[in-house]
Amino acid sequence: MRRNVALCWTYSWGMLFLNSYSADQDQRPSLRIGAYFSLSGNGLATNGPEAYDGFMFLINKINSERIGPYSIHVTACDDQFILSKALACFAKFATEDPVPIVVGGHTTFTVAAGDYFEKHQILNIQCCTGPEIIYTSTKRKWMFGIHRPSNDYPKGIVKSIAA
């Protein structure tokens, strides 16, 4: 019996664990995730297919290696790097084809995504985090970013130079 690595996403109101899971079991419950990325349009240079491909590589690895207790299924939406299209993606994930978790987005849409998914109580994982003020100016319970806020980049550069 082979065991796989644990994947853990933390959030201020609790933790969602995708714990290590035996690869020899046949059936796992499904976890549906919405993903919005700029797959076409002017955003290709900043957040396009490469970001989505990297995300899907992770999801496919999790599924093929049977990591975690869930089989993950992604519902994708192309925001075309246009806010109105992104808002249509948000509505799809909240009402038309509801999902409990949404991943994605360019920093341009972080505030709109945070506001929208907060009121619908959908876990919102921002790939491009934007400035820290987005996360600290209001009490958001349903949103977090994957990497450090953009206004924190200089600190990382200084630390790496000093090392």
Side-chain angles (χ1 to χ4, degrees):
M1 181 182 301
R2 189 169 65 119
R3 294 188 55 98
N4 293 308
V5 193
L7 173 64
C8 172
W9 291 330
T10 61
Y11 188 63
S12 64
W13 51 265
M15 296 176 133
L16 170 66
F17 285 101
L18 299 178
N19 294 317
S20 80
Y21 190 80
S22 302
D24 60 349
Q25 293 187 357
D26 294 330
Q27 297 294 321
R28 295 181 295 166
S30 293
L31 175 63
R32 295 181 59 249
I33 295 176
Y36 71 98
F37 289 89
S38 300
L39 301 175
S40 63
N42 293 330
L44 291 179
T46 57
N47 156 277
E50 295 84 5
Y52 178 74
D53 289 347
F55 173 70
M56 288 308 300
F57 177 80
L58 172 66
I59 297 302
N60 291 332
K61 184 72 171 171
I62 288 169
N63 286 336
S64 69
E65 296 289 326
R66 305 180 73 78
I67 298 170
Y70 299 104
S71 173
I72 300 174
H73 300 279
V74 176
T75 300
C77 190
D78 180 7
D79 65 28
Q80 300 175 23
F81 203 64
I82 299 169
L83 180 58
S84 63
K85 301 285 185 181
L87 292 171
C89 291
F90 302 168
K92 175 182 178 179
F93 299 141
T95 58
E96 298 166 27
D97 191 10
V99 295
I101 301 171
V102 173
V103 175
H106 185 271
T107 308
T108 305
F109 306 133
T110 301
V111 172
D115 292 344
Y116 191 91
F117 294 122
E118 190 73 24
K119 70 180 172 187
H120 290 283
Q121 297 183 346
I122 296 172
L123 183 58
N124 177 19
I125 303 168
Q126 287 292 304
C127 296
C128 300
T129 57
E132 187 176 9
I133 191 82
I134 293 170
Y135 301 89
T136 59
S137 65
T138 60
K139 293 187 180 214
R140 296 192 190 272
K141 296 180 181 179
W142 295 90
M143 177 181 183
F144 72 94
I146 290 178
H147 55 79
R148 69 175 25 165
S150 55
N151 59 322
D152 204 24
Y153 290 168
K155 293 177 194 173
I157 293 169
V158 170
K159 281 183 181 179
S160 67
I161 292 171

